[in-house]
Amino acid sequence: MSGPMQAFGHIRMFLLCQASTLSRRTNRVAVIRLETSMISREAPNFPINVFDLSKGQSAYRQGDTRDGWYEVTDGFIALCHYFGDGRRQVSRFVGPGDAFGFGIGLRQFSAEALTDVRLKRHTFEVAFDDTTSPIHINTPHPALRRAMEAVEGTIRLFSYTHASDRVAAFLLNFSRYDGHTETLHLPMSRQDLADHLGLTMHTVSRSICDLARRGYFQLERPDLIRISDRARLEQLVEYEPTPDHEQLVA
Amino acid sequence: MSGPMQAFGHIRMFLLCQASTLSRRTNRVAVIRLETSMISREAPNFPINVFDLSKGQSAYRQGDTRDGWYEVTDGFIALCHYFGDGRRQVSRFVGPGDAFGFGIGLRQFSAEALTDVRLKRHTFEVAFDDTTSPIHINTPHPALRRAMEAVEGTIRLFSYTHASDRVAAFLLNFSRYDGHTETLHLPMSRQDLADHLGLTMHTVSRSICDLARRGYFQLERPDLIRISDRARLEQLVEYEPTPDHEQLVA
DNA sequence: CGGGGACTTGATGGTTGTCAAGAAATGTGG
DNA sequence: CCACATTTCTTGACAACCATCAAGTCCCCG
């Protein structure tokens, strides 16, 4: 019981902070804002840590538990993902005024300081009320966090410099819509794929046909693939699944 | 005055919806959740539209005013950005369970139905209280929307198939940290750039040096660039600025 | 059956990755 | 402050790869 109670202590402190804020407005307006906004109105003294990193240090590392999101006050940070085979993908560089570290599940990226950096950390908090349903505090909408995760997953595709690797990685990832089964249905054209992967239609077509010829899957129709030996395909591209939709807890 | 008042009517309706919700919980817990959560707790009957698109139609188009975010119930959609010179970049494909359409400013992407599609639309709402400060309803945290915008901006870099175009576009975009002035300071190494742009260190170095040789800028130090003729560089890559940090209104 | 769009395949030249070496910048110890 | 070591950046040569242009095939739809 210590976990939940501890979190509740936070909330108690927080409520006191808010009381003064509320008194400055009409209740009505205040309630509207608070009820419906996806904006976090963080109270003073609510856990926001300010801290510094020197060049080369990390705010967090790939694989860490996700504990909050960050804002850069000063300096620059690279958000980078490491693959098992040594490839590295920098999702973006963040500088003064930028925020990062949303998303779901474990950290997919390391946040490495390129310079000396000052950061603000906004902690995710979870408490429990009497009904045992969790209350998420300062936590973005799950749909939004998943969307962020998906976009960052797309960026990871560009760590492949060879066209057929990139295509293969995309196909494996996209097969989540078919429940990662043998059958993979493609609703988009080759041109759409090309525009997604930064290739030409021809290269996409060649890559898919080549992969099929090399036995990684069967191309039953242009838009229907049967992945006979999934493991071999995954091995080809050091496949890393994106976090499942179920992993919604911060 | 009709605009704000109309919005306020929405809120009034909404408040009534919420009253019943509140009564089911202790005020204390309810206030905590509502005050601090970045989760939108949308009331029943609050504007969520369900609608269908047939293959080929668009939920919205690049350049449209942003009026809300979407959730796919069924079917597939491509989110794609069109450049002036005919290039096209598909940021991602969204399918059942995925959400899209966050971000700031005008729509940067068109949402094109690849199949017949069923969607849920969650509208952004803005109202005004007595103090004239806007109240954002069902609107994600600005920092998060900017982060989303930034990641999607990165993806747009991959629409360039030639290395030096991609590098040039990155440099122009990154110079926002120096206020889009002549001077451009790069806090990251060539390898970091390569890992960001899906190239090798060598190609990045070559691209930068080539651009300098061709007179697009001066390379004063490896990490310090002086952009003498910004217009010419922008012309080279059909530069499109990412929305400024100031454009926060939905 | 005929037409048109999407996909596949071939040939070729330009671009990039790879391997290798050299130059410049940075850091370290004397 | 200088000499040396180390890292980072630049450049060259070559082979592999991809974009381009062009043609041919498949499939869907009228």
Side-chain angles (χ1 to χ4, degrees):
Chain A
M1 194 166 179
S2 73
M5 283 312 287
Q6 197 175 6
F8 201 79
H10 258 323
I11 294 174
R12 191 179 188 78
M13 181 273 295
F14 174 71
L15 255 187
L16 295 176
C17 296
Q18 274 317 106
S20 59
T21 305
L22 284 174
S23 66
R24 273 190 255 117
R25 308 187 156 277
T26 70
N27 263 338
R28 180 156 131 176
V29 168
V31 169
I32 290 168
R33 157 176 295 173
L34 305 176
E35 176 60 33
T36 63
S37 176
M38 287 167 95
I39 299 176
S40 117
R41 297 278 170 189
E42 289 171 293
N45 303 328
F46 200 70
I48 301 181
N49 309 325
V50 174
F51 63 99
D52 296 316
L53 295 177
S54 41
K55 181 174 172 173
Q57 288 186 303
S58 295
Y60 55 77
R61 288 207 175 76
Q62 185 174 336
D64 283 358
T65 306
R66 199 179 297 262
D67 53 353
W69 56 279
Y70 295 77
E71 234 178 315
V72 179
T73 306
D74 204 56
F76 287 93
I77 282 184
L79 306 177
C80 43
H81 179 90
Y82 291 90
F83 292 81
D85 58 0
R87 289 194 332 280
R88 177 170 171 261
Q89 177 66 36
V90 174
S91 140
R92 58 187 176 123
F93 300 106
V94 291
D98 296 332
F100 63 96
F102 309 98
I104 56 177
L106 299 178
R107 297 284 180 198
Q108 297 296 306
F109 294 86
S110 298
E112 304 178 354
L114 298 170
T115 63
D116 291 353
V117 165
R118 171 155 292 178
L119 288 176
K120 276 203 295 196
R121 189 164 74 100
H122 304 246
T123 53
F124 297 150
E125 298 283 337
V126 180
F128 297 88
D129 63 11
D130 312 329
T131 68
T132 72
S133 64
I135 303 172
H136 297 269
I137 298 176
N138 193 26
T139 304
H141 193 292
L144 185 42
R145 299 179 73 190
R146 281 202 303 269
M148 179 64 81
E149 200 86 31
V151 182
E152 290 182 335
T154 292
I155 288 186
R156 260 178 277 168
L157 290 177
F158 291 100
S159 65
Y160 300 98
T161 56
H162 288 327
S164 41
D165 296 348
R166 199 179 294 173
V167 171
F170 171 83
L171 293 178
L172 280 169
N173 186 39
F174 193 81
S175 78
R176 70 179 180 279
Y177 292 109
D178 288 308
H180 294 287
T181 55
E182 268 204 349
T183 315
L184 169 55
H185 188 267
L186 298 175
M188 74 292 284
S189 71
R190 296 288 187 265
Q191 185 62 59
D192 291 332
L193 276 174
D195 291 340
H196 184 53
L197 300 173
L199 303 164
T200 61
M201 190 180 61
H202 312 275
T203 304
V204 169
S205 177
R206 256 186 267 268
S207 298
I208 291 180
C209 294
D210 283 355
L211 286 167
R213 262 189 291 272
R214 287 193 275 158
Y216 288 102
F217 48 72
Q218 282 77 48
L219 192 57
E220 309 206 334
R221 285 201 319 256
D223 61 343
L224 184 62
I225 288 173
R226 181 165 306 281
I227 305 176
S228 45
D229 191 353
R230 189 186 190 82
R232 199 158 75 94
L233 190 56
E234 292 181 349
Q235 194 180 355
L236 178 68
V237 298
E238 283 276 334
Y239 178 67
E240 302 184 9
T242 55
D244 281 343
H245 283 182
E246 290 73 31
Q247 299 180 16
L248 294 185
V249 180
Chain B
M1 194 165 181
S2 74
M5 284 312 289
Q6 196 176 6
F8 202 78
H10 258 325
I11 294 175
R12 190 178 188 80
M13 180 273 293
F14 175 71
L15 255 186
L16 295 176
C17 297
Q18 277 315 107
S20 59
T21 306
L22 283 173
S23 67
R24 274 189 254 116
R25 307 186 158 278
T26 68
N27 262 340
R28 183 156 125 176
V29 168
V31 168
I32 290 168
R33 158 178 293 171
L34 306 175
E35 175 61 33
T36 64
S37 176
M38 288 167 95
I39 299 176
S40 118
R41 296 280 169 189
E42 288 170 295
N45 302 330
F46 200 69
I48 301 181
N49 309 325
V50 174
F51 64 98
D52 296 317
L53 295 177
S54 40
K55 181 173 173 173
Q57 289 186 303
S58 297
Y60 54 78
R61 287 206 175 77
Q62 185 173 337
D64 283 358
T65 305
R66 199 181 297 264
D67 53 352
W69 56 278
Y70 295 77
E71 236 178 313
V72 179
T73 306
D74 204 56
F76 287 93
I77 282 185
L79 307 176
C80 44
H81 179 91
Y82 291 91
F83 292 81
D85 57 359
R87 290 193 330 280
R88 175 170 174 262
Q89 177 64 37
V90 174
S91 141
R92 58 188 175 122
F93 301 107
V94 290
D98 295 332
F100 64 96
F102 308 97
I104 55 178
L106 299 177
R107 298 283 180 199
Q108 298 295 306
F109 294 86
S110 298
E112 305 178 353
L114 297 170
T115 63
D116 290 353
V117 165
R118 171 155 292 180
L119 288 176
K120 275 203 294 197
R121 189 163 74 101
H122 305 248
T123 53
F124 297 150
E125 297 283 337
V126 180
F128 296 87
D129 63 12
D130 312 329
T131 68
T132 71
S133 63
I135 303 172
H136 298 268
I137 297 176
N138 193 26
T139 305
H141 192 294
L144 184 43
R145 299 179 72 190
R146 282 202 303 270
M148 179 65 80
E149 199 86 30
V151 183
E152 290 182 334
T154 291
I155 289 185
R156 259 178 277 166
L157 289 178
F158 291 101
S159 65
Y160 300 98
T161 56
H162 288 328
S164 40
D165 295 349
R166 201 179 291 173
V167 171
F170 171 84
L171 294 177
L172 280 169
N173 186 38
F174 193 80
S175 77
R176 70 179 180 279
Y177 291 109
D178 289 309
H180 293 288
T181 55
E182 270 203 348
T183 316
L184 170 54
H185 183 63
L186 298 176
M188 73 292 285
S189 70
R190 296 289 187 265
Q191 185 62 58
D192 291 332
L193 277 173
D195 290 341
H196 183 55
L197 299 174
L199 303 165
T200 62
M201 192 181 58
H202 312 274
T203 305
V204 169
S205 178
R206 256 187 269 268
S207 298
I208 291 180
C209 293
D210 284 354
L211 287 167
R213 262 189 291 273
R214 288 193 274 157
Y216 288 102
F217 48 71
Q218 282 76 48
L219 192 57
E220 307 207 336
R221 286 201 319 257
D223 61 343
L224 184 62
I225 288 173
R226 181 166 305 280
I227 305 176
S228 45
D229 192 352
R230 190 188 189 81
R232 198 158 76 95
L233 190 56
E234 291 182 349
Q235 195 180 354
L236 178 68
V237 297
E238 282 276 334
Y239 178 68
E240 302 184 9
T242 55
D244 283 342
H245 283 182
E246 289 72 32
Q247 299 180 13
L248 294 185
V249 179

